[in-house]
Amino acid sequence: MSNTPMAASPLTRAVLEIDEYVSGLGWDQPARLFALVDTARLRAQEPSLAAQLGLDGDESETAGLTPIEQDEIPSGKPLDEFLGTIAWPDAVVGCALSVERLMLPPSAEAQVPQNLSEAKLARWVAEHPERQEVRMTVAVLRAGGRESALRLREKDSPTEVLTGPDLVPGLADALAATFED
């Protein structure tokens, strides 16, 4: 399915695979949550599920991660509250979230009106002429690894996806907290 680079780490490949999958669904999508499981362990412990996911043929990848999309995120609940309700079983070695947001350049920070409600601030950002629509895919591992992929709507191309471990630190922190006891 994926055109992700083979030289990348397993976590980077998983993030890019999720970005590619969500990109294929188009823009204006709800947030999507994924469990990350060890591909070799999945093949060994759940061969029928591995076969359903198309993982039974390629035995060469032993250090891979398989993203498994979770149930839909409730639309009426704030994302941070929802993430606070998640507890992962031991078989899940990481998780990822893909979400679309509006972003402003740092130069717009000084223009933000003070004392706006969340709703008014969201409307102000949505109407700002320098706003950018962005899809963020952020993944964390139980053991501490992090990776992110950012895709701008105006540059919607696989060659224009920015990756790095610290691109969306707040969201990475929130995802990492889902593994805390």
Side-chain angles (χ1 to χ4, degrees):
M1 163 189 165
S2 180
N3 295 319
T4 59
M6 293 314 297
S9 74
L11 187 57
T12 302
R13 287 196 308 269
V15 165
L16 290 172
E17 183 178 327
I18 292 167
D19 173 76
E20 182 181 337
Y21 163 73
V22 175
S23 176
L25 300 172
W27 284 88
D28 304 317
Q29 295 292 314
R32 294 178 184 277
L33 181 67
F34 298 82
L36 299 176
V37 297
D38 180 274
T39 303
R41 184 174 173 190
L42 179 65
R43 280 190 194 114
Q45 295 180 353
E46 299 285 343
S48 62
L49 177 57
Q52 282 182 327
L53 296 172
L55 301 172
D56 54 345
D58 182 13
E59 297 293 329
S60 64
E61 187 173 338
T62 57
L65 296 168
T66 298
I68 300 174
E69 188 170 4
Q70 303 301 292
D71 291 337
E72 192 170 302
I73 295 174
S75 59
K77 191 171 207 173
L79 192 56
D80 57 340
E81 286 181 25
F82 171 73
L83 291 176
T85 67
I86 295 174
W88 297 104
D90 290 341
V92 174
V93 298
C95 66
L97 182 75
S98 184
V99 63
E100 296 175 14
R101 290 291 185 258
L102 292 176
M103 291 179 60
L104 294 176
S107 61
E109 199 169 306
Q111 303 168 12
V112 177
Q114 299 299 310
N115 303 320
L116 290 181
S117 68
E118 276 192 52
K120 288 182 179 178
L121 178 60
R123 189 173 5 186
W124 183 85
V125 170
E127 294 170 355
H128 195 282
E130 295 178 81
R131 75 185 178 282
Q132 292 280 331
E133 290 180 74
V134 63
R135 181 180 301 118
M136 302 175 282
T137 303
V138 179
V140 299
L141 294 177
R142 187 183 294 269
R146 295 176 175 210
E147 188 60 79
S148 305
L150 296 181
R151 181 186 292 246
L152 294 175
R153 189 171 190 156
E154 76 174 25
K155 295 183 178 185
D156 192 3
S157 163
T159 61
E160 296 287 337
V161 176
L162 179 64
T163 60
D166 300 318
L167 298 178
V168 193
L171 186 51
D173 290 344
L175 289 172
T178 65
F179 289 104
E180 295 174 2
D181 292 331

